[in-house]
Amino acid sequence: DIVLTQSPATLSLSPGDRATLSCRARQRIANSLAWYQQKPGQAPRLLIYDASNRAAGIPARFSGSGSGTDFTLTISSLEPEDFAVYYCQQRGDWPLTFGGGTKVEIK
Amino acid sequence: QVHLVQSGADVKKPGASLKVSCETSGYTFTDYYIHWVRQAPGQGLEWMGRLNPKIDTTNLAQKFQGRVTMTSDSSISTAYMELKRLNSDDTAVYFCAKDLFNWGSGWIDSWGQGTLVTVSS
């Protein structure tokens, strides 16, 4: 299985700050990576797929980059509703796997 | 508007089986794969497998092979996931979700609300 390692585990920031989240794959997966946001008690929400494509309805402050083994999710200016847990997911090989998550919390 | 509505929370004893339903609406059910993902309390997301409702075939994570069955009833646009021989490690919220594209991309967009299953003696 392809292991995805997310860092940091927790990111403490203030509204308006820039958030940079990392996801590293143990083997190359081209651009086969997605990012999800999950708030407590809710289902995940797809933000980014194919490493850099925003899903429908996702604000432009969310952007994804990377290919191969190193990927980044950037939130350009944090809004209050962006404080949540973020997961990366790969589809480069079966089974689909998720990273362990990065919690973005209010500083 | 796409909706996936799952069956309610359940409590099961070790060794029993669970079956979660996922009623869909707002799109053509047979055109999109249904994924099942679970999340243990306070933990991350774990993909269990996916179902092609058009031809009733599945791709399962090896961990669940032999223990999970994914089926559907296209006449009522509903998918089902059955997990057998439950143990305490199966305590989790189980999500059904629809694939983003009709060719089975592996990206997961619309999600059900989740079904909490507690395994306890």
Side-chain angles (χ1 to χ4, degrees):
Chain A
D1 297 4
I2 294 179
V3 175
L4 298 177
T5 302
Q6 291 189 241
S7 61
T10 303
L11 203 48
S12 298
L13 296 169
S14 301
D17 286 348
R18 181 183 187 89
T20 304
L21 288 68
S22 174
C23 178
R24 176 165 289 176
R26 197 169 284 183
Q27 58 197 78
R28 297 184 66 84
I29 56 171
N31 69 337
S32 296
L33 193 98
W35 291 93
Y36 298 81
Q37 176 194 68
Q38 188 179 33
K39 297 179 181 178
Q42 296 185 16
R45 178 172 72 142
L46 178 66
L47 301 174
I48 302 286
Y49 64 94
D50 289 344
S52 61
N53 292 335
R54 267 190 306 276
I58 301 303
R61 65 181 181 271
F62 291 92
S63 63
S65 63
S67 68
T69 60
D70 291 303
F71 301 87
T72 301
L73 174 70
T74 301
I75 310 170
S76 59
S77 178
L78 283 164
E79 296 288 340
E81 62 267 27
D82 299 337
F83 292 91
V85 179
Y86 293 83
Y87 294 96
C88 57
Q89 177 236 319
Q90 66 80 27
R91 63 149 197 180
D93 197 8
W94 299 101
L96 305 183
T97 52
F98 292 87
T102 290
K103 181 179 182 179
V104 178
E105 65 176 23
I106 299 176
K107 188 173 182 180
Chain B
Q1 198 168 7
V2 174
H3 287 291
L4 290 83
V5 178
Q6 299 181 222
S7 47
D10 207 347
V11 179
K12 295 292 187 182
K13 293 195 182 304
S17 299
L18 74 87
K19 190 169 186 176
V20 179
S21 66
C22 174
E23 182 177 352
T24 73
S25 60
Y27 72 99
T28 302
F29 177 68
T30 50
D31 281 353
Y32 294 82
Y33 282 82
I34 291 285
H35 297 266
W36 290 91
V37 176
R38 75 178 186 178
Q39 186 169 37
Q43 302 301 309
L45 302 167
E46 181 176 33
W47 184 79
M48 301 177 69
R50 68 173 187 172
L51 167 74
N52 181 334
K54 183 168 287 185
I55 55 176
D56 257 350
T57 56
T58 58
N59 302 106
L60 301 177
Q62 187 169 15
K63 172 179 181 177
F64 296 103
Q65 288 179 5
R67 215 158 63 92
V68 164
T69 304
M70 296 178 184
T71 57
S72 67
D73 184 342
S74 59
S75 69
I76 55 172
S77 301
T78 299
Y80 304 92
M81 188 280 297
E82 182 176 21
L83 180 61
K84 303 171 188 169
R85 302 188 299 277
L86 294 168
N87 60 65
S88 57
D89 291 341
D90 295 315
T91 293
V93 175
Y94 290 78
F95 293 101
C96 65
K98 169 189 157 293
D99 200 280
L100 178 60
F101 294 113
N102 62 6
W103 48 269
S105 65
W107 304 137
I108 305 171
D109 67 340
S110 303
W111 296 67
Q113 83 276 18
T115 297
L116 173 62
V117 176
T118 304
V119 181
S120 173
S121 55

